[in-house]
Short mmCIF file of all heavy atoms in Angstrom, two decimals:
data_model
loop_
_atom_site.label_atom_id
_atom_site.label_comp_id
_atom_site.label_asym_id
_atom_site.label_seq_id
_atom_site.Cartn_x
_atom_site.Cartn_y
_atom_site.Cartn_z
N ARG A 1 -25.34 -35.45 -46.20
CA ARG A 1 -25.82 -34.90 -47.45
C ARG A 1 -25.22 -35.71 -48.58
O ARG A 1 -24.02 -35.98 -48.60
CB ARG A 1 -25.38 -33.44 -47.50
CG ARG A 1 -25.99 -32.68 -48.57
CD ARG A 1 -25.64 -31.22 -48.42
NE ARG A 1 -26.70 -30.51 -49.07
CZ ARG A 1 -26.84 -29.23 -49.10
NH1 ARG A 1 -25.98 -28.48 -48.48
NH2 ARG A 1 -27.83 -28.70 -49.73
N TRP A 2 -26.05 -36.11 -49.54
CA TRP A 2 -25.63 -36.93 -50.67
C TRP A 2 -26.12 -36.35 -51.98
O TRP A 2 -27.15 -35.69 -52.02
CB TRP A 2 -26.20 -38.35 -50.58
CG TRP A 2 -25.90 -39.06 -49.31
CD1 TRP A 2 -24.86 -39.89 -49.06
CD2 TRP A 2 -26.66 -39.02 -48.10
NE1 TRP A 2 -24.92 -40.37 -47.78
CE2 TRP A 2 -26.03 -39.84 -47.16
CE3 TRP A 2 -27.82 -38.36 -47.71
CZ2 TRP A 2 -26.51 -40.03 -45.88
CZ3 TRP A 2 -28.30 -38.54 -46.44
CH2 TRP A 2 -27.64 -39.37 -45.53
N SER A 3 -25.42 -36.66 -53.06
CA SER A 3 -25.90 -36.39 -54.40
C SER A 3 -26.48 -37.72 -54.88
O SER A 3 -25.75 -38.61 -55.31
CB SER A 3 -24.77 -35.94 -55.32
OG SER A 3 -24.29 -34.68 -54.92
N GLY A 4 -27.79 -37.84 -54.77
CA GLY A 4 -28.45 -39.09 -55.13
C GLY A 4 -28.69 -39.19 -56.62
O GLY A 4 -28.90 -38.19 -57.29
N SER A 5 -28.67 -40.41 -57.12
CA SER A 5 -28.93 -40.64 -58.54
C SER A 5 -30.32 -41.25 -58.72
O SER A 5 -30.90 -41.80 -57.79
CB SER A 5 -27.85 -41.55 -59.13
OG SER A 5 -27.82 -42.78 -58.44
N SER A 6 -30.83 -41.16 -59.92
CA SER A 6 -32.15 -41.69 -60.24
C SER A 6 -32.22 -43.17 -59.88
O SER A 6 -31.32 -43.94 -60.19
CB SER A 6 -32.42 -41.49 -61.72
OG SER A 6 -33.68 -42.03 -62.06
N GLY A 7 -33.27 -43.57 -59.17
CA GLY A 7 -33.45 -44.96 -58.77
C GLY A 7 -32.81 -45.34 -57.45
O GLY A 7 -33.05 -46.43 -56.94
N GLN A 8 -32.02 -44.46 -56.86
CA GLN A 8 -31.32 -44.78 -55.61
C GLN A 8 -32.30 -44.79 -54.44
O GLN A 8 -33.20 -43.96 -54.35
CB GLN A 8 -30.20 -43.77 -55.37
CG GLN A 8 -29.31 -44.13 -54.21
CD GLN A 8 -28.08 -43.23 -54.13
OE1 GLN A 8 -27.88 -42.33 -54.93
NE2 GLN A 8 -27.26 -43.47 -53.13
N THR A 9 -32.10 -45.75 -53.52
CA THR A 9 -32.94 -45.84 -52.33
C THR A 9 -32.13 -45.88 -51.03
O THR A 9 -32.64 -45.52 -49.98
CB THR A 9 -33.84 -47.09 -52.36
OG1 THR A 9 -33.02 -48.25 -52.44
CG2 THR A 9 -34.83 -47.04 -53.51
N VAL A 10 -30.88 -46.35 -51.08
CA VAL A 10 -30.08 -46.54 -49.86
C VAL A 10 -28.95 -45.52 -49.82
O VAL A 10 -28.27 -45.30 -50.82
CB VAL A 10 -29.51 -47.98 -49.78
CG1 VAL A 10 -28.64 -48.15 -48.55
CG2 VAL A 10 -30.64 -48.99 -49.78
N PHE A 11 -28.75 -44.94 -48.63
CA PHE A 11 -27.71 -43.93 -48.42
C PHE A 11 -26.93 -44.29 -47.17
O PHE A 11 -27.52 -44.51 -46.11
CB PHE A 11 -28.34 -42.54 -48.29
CG PHE A 11 -29.11 -42.14 -49.50
CD1 PHE A 11 -30.45 -42.48 -49.63
CD2 PHE A 11 -28.50 -41.47 -50.54
CE1 PHE A 11 -31.16 -42.14 -50.77
CE2 PHE A 11 -29.20 -41.13 -51.69
CZ PHE A 11 -30.54 -41.47 -51.80
N ASP A 12 -25.61 -44.40 -47.30
CA ASP A 12 -24.75 -44.72 -46.16
C ASP A 12 -24.54 -43.50 -45.29
O ASP A 12 -24.25 -42.42 -45.80
CB ASP A 12 -23.39 -45.24 -46.65
CG ASP A 12 -23.50 -46.58 -47.35
OD1 ASP A 12 -24.40 -47.36 -46.99
OD2 ASP A 12 -22.69 -46.83 -48.25
N LEU A 13 -24.67 -43.68 -43.99
CA LEU A 13 -24.47 -42.59 -43.04
C LEU A 13 -23.00 -42.55 -42.62
O LEU A 13 -22.38 -43.60 -42.44
CB LEU A 13 -25.36 -42.78 -41.81
CG LEU A 13 -26.86 -42.74 -42.08
CD1 LEU A 13 -27.62 -43.17 -40.84
CD2 LEU A 13 -27.29 -41.36 -42.52
N PRO A 14 -22.44 -41.34 -42.44
CA PRO A 14 -21.05 -41.24 -42.04
C PRO A 14 -20.81 -41.64 -40.58
O PRO A 14 -19.71 -41.94 -40.19
CB PRO A 14 -20.71 -39.76 -42.26
CG PRO A 14 -22.02 -39.07 -42.19
CD PRO A 14 -23.04 -40.04 -42.70
N ASP A 15 -21.87 -41.64 -39.77
CA ASP A 15 -21.81 -42.03 -38.36
C ASP A 15 -22.91 -43.06 -38.13
O ASP A 15 -23.76 -43.28 -38.99
CB ASP A 15 -22.10 -40.82 -37.46
CG ASP A 15 -21.10 -39.70 -37.64
OD1 ASP A 15 -19.90 -39.96 -37.53
OD2 ASP A 15 -21.53 -38.57 -37.91
N TYR A 16 -22.92 -43.67 -36.97
CA TYR A 16 -24.02 -44.55 -36.60
C TYR A 16 -25.13 -43.70 -36.01
O TYR A 16 -24.91 -42.92 -35.11
CB TYR A 16 -23.57 -45.61 -35.60
CG TYR A 16 -22.71 -46.67 -36.26
CD1 TYR A 16 -21.34 -46.51 -36.37
CD2 TYR A 16 -23.31 -47.79 -36.81
CE1 TYR A 16 -20.56 -47.47 -36.99
CE2 TYR A 16 -22.54 -48.76 -37.44
CZ TYR A 16 -21.17 -48.59 -37.53
OH TYR A 16 -20.42 -49.54 -38.16
N ALA A 17 -26.35 -43.86 -36.53
CA ALA A 17 -27.47 -43.04 -36.10
C ALA A 17 -28.35 -43.80 -35.11
O ALA A 17 -28.58 -45.00 -35.27
CB ALA A 17 -28.30 -42.62 -37.31
N GLU A 18 -28.82 -43.09 -34.12
CA GLU A 18 -29.78 -43.64 -33.17
C GLU A 18 -31.20 -43.53 -33.74
O GLU A 18 -32.01 -44.42 -33.60
CB GLU A 18 -29.69 -42.88 -31.83
CG GLU A 18 -30.63 -43.37 -30.76
CD GLU A 18 -30.26 -44.75 -30.24
OE1 GLU A 18 -29.08 -45.12 -30.24
OE2 GLU A 18 -31.19 -45.48 -29.84
N MET A 19 -31.47 -42.37 -34.36
CA MET A 19 -32.78 -42.15 -34.99
C MET A 19 -32.65 -41.05 -36.04
O MET A 19 -31.77 -40.20 -35.97
CB MET A 19 -33.83 -41.76 -33.96
CG MET A 19 -33.61 -40.43 -33.30
SD MET A 19 -34.91 -40.11 -32.12
CE MET A 19 -34.98 -38.34 -32.20
N ILE A 20 -33.52 -41.10 -37.02
CA ILE A 20 -33.59 -40.09 -38.07
C ILE A 20 -34.59 -39.03 -37.63
O ILE A 20 -35.70 -39.36 -37.20
CB ILE A 20 -34.06 -40.72 -39.40
CG1 ILE A 20 -33.08 -41.80 -39.86
CG2 ILE A 20 -34.25 -39.66 -40.47
CD1 ILE A 20 -31.72 -41.28 -40.28
N GLU A 21 -34.21 -37.77 -37.73
CA GLU A 21 -35.14 -36.69 -37.41
C GLU A 21 -35.89 -36.22 -38.65
O GLU A 21 -37.11 -36.15 -38.63
CB GLU A 21 -34.39 -35.53 -36.75
CG GLU A 21 -33.87 -35.87 -35.38
CD GLU A 21 -33.21 -34.70 -34.69
OE1 GLU A 21 -32.67 -33.81 -35.38
OE2 GLU A 21 -33.25 -34.68 -33.45
N THR A 22 -35.16 -35.89 -39.71
CA THR A 22 -35.79 -35.43 -40.95
C THR A 22 -34.93 -35.85 -42.14
O THR A 22 -33.72 -36.02 -42.02
CB THR A 22 -35.95 -33.90 -40.98
OG1 THR A 22 -34.66 -33.29 -40.84
CG2 THR A 22 -36.88 -33.39 -39.90
N VAL A 23 -35.59 -36.00 -43.28
CA VAL A 23 -34.90 -36.25 -44.54
C VAL A 23 -35.57 -35.38 -45.60
O VAL A 23 -36.80 -35.32 -45.68
CB VAL A 23 -34.98 -37.74 -44.96
CG1 VAL A 23 -34.35 -37.95 -46.32
CG2 VAL A 23 -34.31 -38.62 -43.92
N ALA A 24 -34.74 -34.70 -46.39
CA ALA A 24 -35.25 -33.86 -47.48
C ALA A 24 -34.62 -34.31 -48.79
O ALA A 24 -33.45 -34.67 -48.84
CB ALA A 24 -34.92 -32.40 -47.22
N VAL A 25 -35.42 -34.30 -49.85
CA VAL A 25 -34.94 -34.61 -51.19
C VAL A 25 -35.22 -33.38 -52.05
O VAL A 25 -36.37 -32.96 -52.17
CB VAL A 25 -35.66 -35.84 -51.78
CG1 VAL A 25 -35.25 -36.06 -53.23
CG2 VAL A 25 -35.36 -37.07 -50.95
N GLY A 26 -34.15 -32.80 -52.59
CA GLY A 26 -34.30 -31.60 -53.40
C GLY A 26 -34.94 -30.46 -52.63
O GLY A 26 -35.67 -29.65 -53.20
N GLY A 27 -34.71 -30.41 -51.32
CA GLY A 27 -35.25 -29.34 -50.49
C GLY A 27 -36.66 -29.58 -49.97
O GLY A 27 -37.19 -28.77 -49.20
N LEU A 28 -37.29 -30.68 -50.35
CA LEU A 28 -38.64 -30.99 -49.88
C LEU A 28 -38.58 -32.12 -48.85
O LEU A 28 -37.96 -33.16 -49.09
CB LEU A 28 -39.53 -31.43 -51.05
CG LEU A 28 -39.70 -30.40 -52.17
CD1 LEU A 28 -40.47 -31.01 -53.33
CD2 LEU A 28 -40.40 -29.16 -51.65
N TRP A 29 -39.23 -31.91 -47.70
CA TRP A 29 -39.20 -32.88 -46.62
C TRP A 29 -39.98 -34.13 -47.00
O TRP A 29 -41.06 -34.04 -47.58
CB TRP A 29 -39.78 -32.30 -45.33
CG TRP A 29 -39.01 -31.11 -44.85
CD1 TRP A 29 -39.46 -29.82 -44.81
CD2 TRP A 29 -37.68 -31.08 -44.37
NE1 TRP A 29 -38.48 -29.01 -44.35
CE2 TRP A 29 -37.37 -29.74 -44.06
CE3 TRP A 29 -36.71 -32.04 -44.18
CZ2 TRP A 29 -36.13 -29.36 -43.56
CZ3 TRP A 29 -35.47 -31.66 -43.69
CH2 TRP A 29 -35.20 -30.33 -43.38
N LEU A 30 -39.44 -35.29 -46.67
CA LEU A 30 -40.12 -36.55 -46.91
C LEU A 30 -41.02 -36.88 -45.73
O LEU A 30 -40.74 -36.52 -44.58
CB LEU A 30 -39.12 -37.69 -47.08
CG LEU A 30 -38.25 -37.69 -48.32
CD1 LEU A 30 -37.35 -38.93 -48.32
CD2 LEU A 30 -39.09 -37.66 -49.57
N ASP A 31 -42.08 -37.63 -46.00
CA ASP A 31 -42.93 -38.17 -44.97
C ASP A 31 -42.07 -39.13 -44.12
O ASP A 31 -41.40 -40.00 -44.68
CB ASP A 31 -44.08 -38.93 -45.62
CG ASP A 31 -45.06 -39.54 -44.63
OD1 ASP A 31 -44.70 -39.74 -43.45
OD2 ASP A 31 -46.19 -39.82 -45.04
N PRO A 32 -42.08 -38.99 -42.80
CA PRO A 32 -41.25 -39.87 -41.96
C PRO A 32 -41.52 -41.36 -42.17
O PRO A 32 -40.65 -42.19 -41.95
CB PRO A 32 -41.62 -39.45 -40.53
CG PRO A 32 -42.16 -38.08 -40.65
CD PRO A 32 -42.80 -38.00 -42.01
N LEU A 33 -42.72 -41.72 -42.62
CA LEU A 33 -43.04 -43.13 -42.85
C LEU A 33 -42.35 -43.68 -44.09
O LEU A 33 -42.32 -44.89 -44.30
CB LEU A 33 -44.55 -43.32 -42.96
CG LEU A 33 -45.34 -42.98 -41.69
CD1 LEU A 33 -46.84 -43.11 -41.95
CD2 LEU A 33 -44.91 -43.84 -40.53
N SER A 34 -41.77 -42.81 -44.92
CA SER A 34 -41.10 -43.27 -46.14
C SER A 34 -39.59 -43.43 -45.94
O SER A 34 -38.87 -43.68 -46.89
CB SER A 34 -41.38 -42.30 -47.29
OG SER A 34 -40.78 -41.05 -47.04
N VAL A 35 -39.12 -43.30 -44.69
CA VAL A 35 -37.69 -43.40 -44.37
C VAL A 35 -37.49 -44.49 -43.32
O VAL A 35 -38.21 -44.54 -42.33
CB VAL A 35 -37.16 -42.05 -43.82
CG1 VAL A 35 -35.70 -42.15 -43.47
CG2 VAL A 35 -37.40 -40.94 -44.81
N ALA A 36 -36.50 -45.36 -43.56
CA ALA A 36 -36.19 -46.42 -42.60
C ALA A 36 -34.70 -46.40 -42.29
O ALA A 36 -33.88 -46.22 -43.18
CB ALA A 36 -36.58 -47.77 -43.16
N LEU A 37 -34.38 -46.56 -41.02
CA LEU A 37 -33.00 -46.64 -40.55
C LEU A 37 -32.69 -48.11 -40.30
O LEU A 37 -33.46 -48.81 -39.64
CB LEU A 37 -32.84 -45.84 -39.27
CG LEU A 37 -31.48 -45.80 -38.61
CD1 LEU A 37 -30.46 -45.12 -39.53
CD2 LEU A 37 -31.56 -45.08 -37.27
N ASN A 38 -31.57 -48.59 -40.85
CA ASN A 38 -31.21 -50.00 -40.61
C ASN A 38 -30.62 -50.15 -39.20
O ASN A 38 -30.35 -49.18 -38.52
CB ASN A 38 -30.25 -50.51 -41.68
CG ASN A 38 -28.82 -50.04 -41.44
OD1 ASN A 38 -28.57 -49.01 -40.84
ND2 ASN A 38 -27.88 -50.80 -41.95
N ASP A 39 -30.48 -51.39 -38.78
CA ASP A 39 -29.79 -51.68 -37.53
C ASP A 39 -28.45 -52.29 -37.95
O ASP A 39 -28.46 -53.30 -38.64
CB ASP A 39 -30.60 -52.67 -36.70
CG ASP A 39 -30.02 -52.88 -35.32
OD1 ASP A 39 -29.29 -52.00 -34.84
OD2 ASP A 39 -30.30 -53.94 -34.73
N PRO A 40 -27.36 -51.65 -37.71
CA PRO A 40 -26.95 -50.84 -36.59
C PRO A 40 -27.01 -49.33 -36.78
O PRO A 40 -26.39 -48.58 -36.03
CB PRO A 40 -25.52 -51.28 -36.37
CG PRO A 40 -25.00 -51.51 -37.74
CD PRO A 40 -26.17 -52.06 -38.50
N GLY A 41 -27.71 -48.80 -37.75
CA GLY A 41 -27.81 -47.36 -37.91
C GLY A 41 -26.76 -46.76 -38.80
O GLY A 41 -26.41 -45.59 -38.66
N ASP A 42 -26.23 -47.54 -39.76
CA ASP A 42 -25.19 -46.99 -40.63
C ASP A 42 -25.69 -46.68 -42.04
O ASP A 42 -24.93 -46.26 -42.89
CB ASP A 42 -23.97 -47.90 -40.68
CG ASP A 42 -24.27 -49.28 -41.23
OD1 ASP A 42 -25.45 -49.58 -41.51
OD2 ASP A 42 -23.32 -50.07 -41.36
N SER A 43 -27.00 -46.87 -42.29
CA SER A 43 -27.57 -46.45 -43.57
C SER A 43 -29.07 -46.24 -43.43
O SER A 43 -29.71 -46.76 -42.51
CB SER A 43 -27.29 -47.49 -44.67
OG SER A 43 -28.01 -48.66 -44.44
N LEU A 44 -29.62 -45.43 -44.33
CA LEU A 44 -31.05 -45.21 -44.34
C LEU A 44 -31.58 -45.55 -45.72
O LEU A 44 -30.87 -45.49 -46.72
CB LEU A 44 -31.41 -43.78 -43.94
CG LEU A 44 -30.97 -42.62 -44.81
CD1 LEU A 44 -32.05 -42.28 -45.82
CD2 LEU A 44 -30.71 -41.41 -43.95
N THR A 45 -32.85 -45.92 -45.75
CA THR A 45 -33.52 -46.28 -46.99
C THR A 45 -34.74 -45.40 -47.15
O THR A 45 -35.49 -45.20 -46.19
CB THR A 45 -33.96 -47.76 -46.96
OG1 THR A 45 -32.81 -48.57 -46.74
CG2 THR A 45 -34.62 -48.17 -48.25
N ILE A 46 -34.92 -44.87 -48.36
CA ILE A 46 -36.11 -44.08 -48.64
C ILE A 46 -36.99 -44.85 -49.63
O ILE A 46 -36.51 -45.65 -50.42
CB ILE A 46 -35.78 -42.67 -49.19
CG1 ILE A 46 -35.04 -42.76 -50.52
CG2 ILE A 46 -34.99 -41.87 -48.17
CD1 ILE A 46 -34.86 -41.42 -51.21
N SER A 47 -38.28 -44.60 -49.55
CA SER A 47 -39.24 -45.25 -50.44
C SER A 47 -40.28 -44.22 -50.84
O SER A 47 -40.81 -43.52 -49.97
CB SER A 47 -39.90 -46.41 -49.72
OG SER A 47 -40.85 -47.03 -50.54
N PRO A 48 -40.57 -44.06 -52.09
CA PRO A 48 -40.03 -44.78 -53.24
C PRO A 48 -38.64 -44.28 -53.61
O PRO A 48 -38.15 -43.30 -53.05
CB PRO A 48 -41.04 -44.46 -54.35
CG PRO A 48 -41.55 -43.10 -54.00
CD PRO A 48 -41.57 -43.07 -52.49
N ALA A 49 -38.03 -44.94 -54.58
CA ALA A 49 -36.71 -44.56 -55.07
C ALA A 49 -36.76 -43.16 -55.68
O ALA A 49 -37.82 -42.68 -56.07
CB ALA A 49 -36.24 -45.56 -56.13
N LEU A 50 -35.59 -42.51 -55.75
CA LEU A 50 -35.52 -41.19 -56.36
C LEU A 50 -35.96 -41.26 -57.82
O LEU A 50 -35.52 -42.13 -58.57
CB LEU A 50 -34.10 -40.65 -56.29
CG LEU A 50 -33.52 -40.35 -54.91
CD1 LEU A 50 -32.08 -39.85 -55.05
CD2 LEU A 50 -34.37 -39.34 -54.17
N ALA A 51 -36.83 -40.36 -58.23
CA ALA A 51 -37.31 -40.32 -59.61
C ALA A 51 -36.26 -39.71 -60.53
O ALA A 51 -36.23 -40.00 -61.72
CB ALA A 51 -38.61 -39.53 -59.69
N ALA A 52 -35.42 -38.86 -59.99
CA ALA A 52 -34.35 -38.20 -60.76
C ALA A 52 -33.21 -37.88 -59.81
O ALA A 52 -33.36 -37.96 -58.59
CB ALA A 52 -34.88 -36.92 -61.40
N ALA A 53 -32.06 -37.52 -60.36
CA ALA A 53 -30.92 -37.12 -59.52
C ALA A 53 -31.34 -35.95 -58.64
O ALA A 53 -32.03 -35.04 -59.10
CB ALA A 53 -29.74 -36.74 -60.39
N ALA A 54 -30.95 -35.99 -57.37
CA ALA A 54 -31.33 -34.94 -56.43
C ALA A 54 -30.40 -34.95 -55.24
O ALA A 54 -29.74 -35.95 -54.95
CB ALA A 54 -32.77 -35.16 -55.95
N THR A 55 -30.35 -33.83 -54.53
CA THR A 55 -29.61 -33.74 -53.28
C THR A 55 -30.48 -34.29 -52.16
O THR A 55 -31.64 -33.90 -52.02
CB THR A 55 -29.21 -32.29 -52.98
OG1 THR A 55 -28.39 -31.81 -54.03
CG2 THR A 55 -28.47 -32.18 -51.67
N VAL A 56 -29.92 -35.21 -51.38
CA VAL A 56 -30.63 -35.80 -50.25
C VAL A 56 -29.92 -35.36 -48.99
O VAL A 56 -28.69 -35.44 -48.89
CB VAL A 56 -30.63 -37.34 -50.36
CG1 VAL A 56 -31.30 -37.97 -49.14
CG2 VAL A 56 -31.31 -37.79 -51.64
N GLN A 57 -30.68 -34.87 -48.03
CA GLN A 57 -30.11 -34.39 -46.77
C GLN A 57 -30.84 -35.05 -45.62
O GLN A 57 -32.07 -35.11 -45.62
CB GLN A 57 -30.24 -32.88 -46.67
CG GLN A 57 -29.71 -32.33 -45.36
CD GLN A 57 -29.82 -30.80 -45.30
OE1 GLN A 57 -29.94 -30.15 -46.32
NE2 GLN A 57 -29.78 -30.28 -44.11
N ALA A 58 -30.08 -35.56 -44.64
CA ALA A 58 -30.68 -36.19 -43.46
C ALA A 58 -30.17 -35.51 -42.20
O ALA A 58 -28.98 -35.18 -42.10
CB ALA A 58 -30.35 -37.67 -43.42
N ASN A 59 -31.06 -35.33 -41.26
CA ASN A 59 -30.71 -34.88 -39.92
C ASN A 59 -31.00 -36.05 -38.99
O ASN A 59 -32.09 -36.62 -39.03
CB ASN A 59 -31.53 -33.66 -39.52
CG ASN A 59 -31.27 -32.49 -40.42
OD1 ASN A 59 -30.14 -32.16 -40.69
ND2 ASN A 59 -32.34 -31.86 -40.91
N TYR A 60 -30.01 -36.40 -38.17
CA TYR A 60 -30.17 -37.57 -37.32
C TYR A 60 -29.42 -37.39 -36.02
O TYR A 60 -28.56 -36.54 -35.89
CB TYR A 60 -29.73 -38.84 -38.04
CG TYR A 60 -28.30 -38.81 -38.53
CD1 TYR A 60 -27.26 -39.31 -37.75
CD2 TYR A 60 -27.98 -38.28 -39.77
CE1 TYR A 60 -25.95 -39.28 -38.19
CE2 TYR A 60 -26.67 -38.26 -40.23
CZ TYR A 60 -25.67 -38.76 -39.44
OH TYR A 60 -24.37 -38.72 -39.88
N VAL A 61 -29.77 -38.21 -35.05
CA VAL A 61 -29.11 -38.23 -33.74
C VAL A 61 -28.05 -39.33 -33.79
O VAL A 61 -28.34 -40.47 -34.15
CB VAL A 61 -30.12 -38.52 -32.62
CG1 VAL A 61 -29.43 -38.64 -31.28
CG2 VAL A 61 -31.19 -37.42 -32.59
N ILE A 62 -26.82 -38.99 -33.43
CA ILE A 62 -25.71 -39.94 -33.45
C ILE A 62 -25.81 -40.88 -32.25
O ILE A 62 -26.02 -40.45 -31.12
CB ILE A 62 -24.35 -39.22 -33.44
CG1 ILE A 62 -24.20 -38.39 -34.72
CG2 ILE A 62 -23.21 -40.22 -33.33
CD1 ILE A 62 -22.98 -37.50 -34.73
N ARG A 63 -25.67 -42.18 -32.52
CA ARG A 63 -25.69 -43.19 -31.47
C ARG A 63 -24.40 -43.13 -30.65
O ARG A 63 -23.32 -43.00 -31.22
CB ARG A 63 -25.84 -44.57 -32.09
CG ARG A 63 -25.86 -45.70 -31.07
CD ARG A 63 -26.07 -47.02 -31.73
NE ARG A 63 -27.43 -47.06 -32.28
CZ ARG A 63 -27.89 -48.02 -33.05
NH1 ARG A 63 -27.10 -49.01 -33.40
NH2 ARG A 63 -29.13 -47.98 -33.49
N ILE A 64 -24.52 -43.21 -29.35
CA ILE A 64 -23.36 -43.25 -28.48
C ILE A 64 -23.01 -44.73 -28.27
O ILE A 64 -23.81 -45.49 -27.71
CB ILE A 64 -23.63 -42.56 -27.13
CG1 ILE A 64 -23.90 -41.08 -27.37
CG2 ILE A 64 -22.45 -42.76 -26.17
CD1 ILE A 64 -24.34 -40.32 -26.15
N LEU A 65 -21.84 -45.12 -28.76
CA LEU A 65 -21.41 -46.50 -28.62
C LEU A 65 -20.57 -46.64 -27.36
O LEU A 65 -19.62 -45.91 -27.15
CB LEU A 65 -20.58 -46.91 -29.85
CG LEU A 65 -21.32 -46.81 -31.18
CD1 LEU A 65 -20.37 -47.06 -32.33
CD2 LEU A 65 -22.49 -47.77 -31.23
N ALA A 66 -20.94 -47.57 -26.53
CA ALA A 66 -20.22 -47.76 -25.26
C ALA A 66 -19.29 -48.94 -25.32
O ALA A 66 -19.39 -49.81 -26.08
CB ALA A 66 -21.21 -47.94 -24.12
#
């Protein structure tokens, strides 16, 4: 969960993610096609950028590192 600022697109994940399940901005779910997980899974990018400051929440599966 992040406090996003206007224009922000990238959010650092506290863990390494295998996949993103859902992302909500201000309580509204984003279209899954507007969210991208980087490789190695330590940040996600949303498109378009936030129009205003908002709370961003992501649910994701944590990657198991061997």
Side-chain angles (χ1 to χ4, degrees):
R1 191 173 205 175
W2 305 267
S3 293
S5 58
S6 179
Q8 188 171 359
T9 59
V10 178
F11 300 88
D12 293 329
L13 297 171
D15 300 306
Y16 287 88
E18 180 69 30
M19 66 181 211
I20 299 292
E21 292 184 331
T22 58
V23 176
V25 174
L28 300 174
W29 300 112
L30 292 181
D31 181 339
L33 297 176
S34 67
V35 179
L37 180 64
N38 78 334
D39 187 22
D42 61 356
S43 69
L44 64 92
T45 303
I46 62 171
S47 178
L50 294 179
T55 300
V56 177
Q57 178 178 340
N59 298 312
Y60 57 93
V61 176
I62 296 172
R63 180 177 292 172
I64 297 173
L65 300 172

